[in-house]
Amino acid sequence: RFKMTTEMQKKMTELEELLKKIKINSQKRDNKNKKNFSLNFQFGMGRSINALNAGGFETPHNFIKGRGVFMKPIDEQNIPKWKKNLWYAAKEILLEIDPVYAENDDFVVNFAHMNDSQNHFVKKHTDNCDISFQYALALGEFTGGELTVESSTGETNTIDFQRKILKVDGRLPHQVETFCGDRYTVIFYKLFDRTKSEKDPVFEPAVIV
């Protein structure tokens, strides 16, 4: 079991400060019908997948036919320095939580920000492309914003993971509850893992680790 330490709290604060400096507004989808999600920003970095041989996706996925994996290391990518700094700050946290999960950098880390309780939302959805469970961390000064996860039998569990590490399977239906303030999330998930030959079984119930 992961043990929260003073050093880990410090790393969370350092990552939070980096997130607060981001000056982009890039993610509003389905704001009219409010069926899916709308956020101030959202972006991911890491082992993403796409159609095989699409630009940057020339490495075949090891067990999903027709999919390619983006394998270029973060240091070699033409992305801003602040994004690289975010990646490494987040990876330090993941290495403390689960070094096996972090092996070979075979994961994606997603960063998101919600700050408008009237217009920002994440409705119930599933992350069907995932091949394993996720680790999630919420940062910022906010109230509410818990994650409600539905089990395979239809039961729901609402979990507060502000400055806590949540182990959850995105392939189960989940949604963000209403909130007030600035809510940042850092989500680690897997679309590819060179050590696996098939998707992991669904992990449940979600738990703070």
Side-chain angles (χ1 to χ4, degrees), residues 145-190:
E146 301 91 349
L147 190 72
T148 295
V149 183
E150 186 175 309
S151 73
S152 56
T153 58
E155 300 172 333
T156 60
N157 186 19
T158 299
I159 307 168
D160 173 14
F161 63 109
Q162 189 172 14
R163 296 190 73 86
K164 301 171 186 174
I165 305 299
L166 174 65
K167 185 176 181 180
V168 60
D169 204 306
R171 294 168 291 182
L172 293 171
H174 55 284
Q175 68 182 48
V176 176
E177 298 303 318
T178 57
F179 73 99
C180 183
D182 281 280
R183 180 183 184 273
Y184 298 93
T185 51
V186 182
I187 313 293
F188 301 97
Y189 63 98
K190 284 184 177 284

Side-chain angles (χ1 to χ4, degrees), residues 97-188:
I97 301 165
D98 188 342
V100 174
Y101 195 96
E103 279 184 355
N104 303 309
D105 288 349
D106 285 346
F107 62 89
V108 181
V109 56
N110 185 84
F111 303 99
H113 178 216
M114 304 169 72
N115 64 351
D116 184 342
S117 60
Q118 297 299 312
N119 296 303
H120 290 168
F121 53 85
V122 178
K123 300 295 186 180
K124 186 163 71 172
H125 68 286
T126 56
D127 303 320
N128 292 323
C129 291
D130 286 12
I131 64 166
S132 190
F133 59 84
Q134 305 178 352
Y135 287 111
L137 166 66
L139 298 168
E141 298 175 10
F142 66 93
T143 57
E146 301 91 349
L147 190 72
T148 295
V149 183
E150 186 175 309
S151 73
S152 56
T153 58
E155 300 172 333
T156 60
N157 186 19
T158 299
I159 307 168
D160 173 14
F161 63 109
Q162 189 172 14
R163 296 190 73 86
K164 301 171 186 174
I165 305 299
L166 174 65
K167 185 176 181 180
V168 60
D169 204 306
R171 294 168 291 182
L172 293 171
H174 55 284
Q175 68 182 48
V176 176
E177 298 303 318
T178 57
F179 73 99
C180 183
D182 281 280
R183 180 183 184 273
Y184 298 93
T185 51
V186 182
I187 313 293
F188 301 97

Side-chain angles (χ1 to χ4, degrees), residues 191-205:
L191 304 174
F192 165 80
D193 186 322
R194 69 193 70 188
T195 69
K196 299 183 185 296
S197 59
E198 60 184 358
K199 293 184 179 182
D200 286 340
V202 172
F203 173 86
E204 58 180 325

